[in-house]
Amino acid sequence: MLDFTKIIFVSKTDTGRGPLACEIMKKMLGSYAGIESRGLVVLFPEPMNPKMVAIAASKGINLEDRVSVQLTEEDFDSKTLVLTMDEKYKTVIYDDYTNAVNVYTVKEFVGDDGDLENPYGGELMDYGRVYENLEELTKKVIEKLREEDSE
């Protein structure tokens, strides 16, 4: 897939959108390894957001045993694609991590504008809508990686 051997989805706490995007991509690609998620603010390993776990489970994805992981300098290299949920997280990464390269928002990477909705504190249907959006964006990411791979 392109020149990247690893893809990391980054969200604020790594307890919702990032891990969900990671698992959606793994489900779509099957055996492709090297898909992970990280958080910008992870003080200790936390379980996933219960509403995100419920939505994921309804789609055949198990997030129950997953815990959050902090993004580190070692996560960056020329073979790693880093996709953030929001523009502000992309900015924080470039400001705070000296090794940061290949960092895009998910929407920016596929040619769309704006940030991905954050359902935190919302109803279950809000989380469901985020799942649908992430699923669509993940398909576009995979298509883009495959297009560039075949050029």
Side-chain angles (χ1 to χ4, degrees), residues 10-103:
V10 178
S11 55
K12 184 176 179 183
T13 60
D14 194 37
T15 59
R17 296 175 296 168
L20 184 61
C22 170
E23 293 304 317
I24 289 170
M25 183 171 271
K26 283 181 180 179
K27 184 177 178 183
M28 289 179 179
L29 293 176
S31 63
Y32 184 77
I35 304 167
E36 302 173 1
S37 71
R38 297 285 186 270
L40 292 175
V41 183
V42 179
L43 304 177
F44 55 89
E46 288 187 69
M48 299 299 103
N49 178 301
K51 289 180 182 173
M52 201 62 86
V53 170
I55 290 297
S58 75
K59 304 293 184 177
I61 295 174
N62 183 358
L63 289 177
E64 281 185 38
D65 299 329
R66 217 183 147 109
V67 293
S68 58
V69 177
Q70 177 68 43
L71 184 69
T72 67
E73 288 287 350
E74 292 73 36
D75 286 320
F76 299 98
D77 63 41
S78 62
K79 296 283 189 185
T80 301
L81 173 63
V82 178
L83 298 173
T84 68
M85 302 295 116
D86 302 315
E87 183 69 36
K88 68 182 173 188
Y89 301 152
K90 175 185 161 185
T91 302
V92 166
I93 289 171
Y94 277 123
D95 288 348
D96 294 354
Y97 293 86
T98 55
N99 294 337
V101 289
N102 303 320
V103 181

Side-chain angles (χ1 to χ4, degrees), residues 80-142:
T80 301
L81 173 63
V82 178
L83 298 173
T84 68
M85 302 295 116
D86 302 315
E87 183 69 36
K88 68 182 173 188
Y89 301 152
K90 175 185 161 185
T91 302
V92 166
I93 289 171
Y94 277 123
D95 288 348
D96 294 354
Y97 293 86
T98 55
N99 294 337
V101 289
N102 303 320
V103 181
Y104 305 89
T105 70
V106 178
K107 286 190 171 187
E108 172 189 24
F109 187 74
V110 299
D112 292 345
D113 292 325
D115 293 338
L116 184 69
E117 174 189 0
N118 187 346
Y120 185 76
E123 300 296 322
L124 202 55
M125 70 177 199
D126 298 322
Y127 286 80
R129 189 168 48 249
V130 167
Y131 178 94
E132 301 301 327
N133 290 339
L134 270 175
E135 188 176 52
E136 190 58 38
L137 284 168
T138 302
K139 284 178 189 170
K140 289 179 180 179
V141 168
I142 292 168

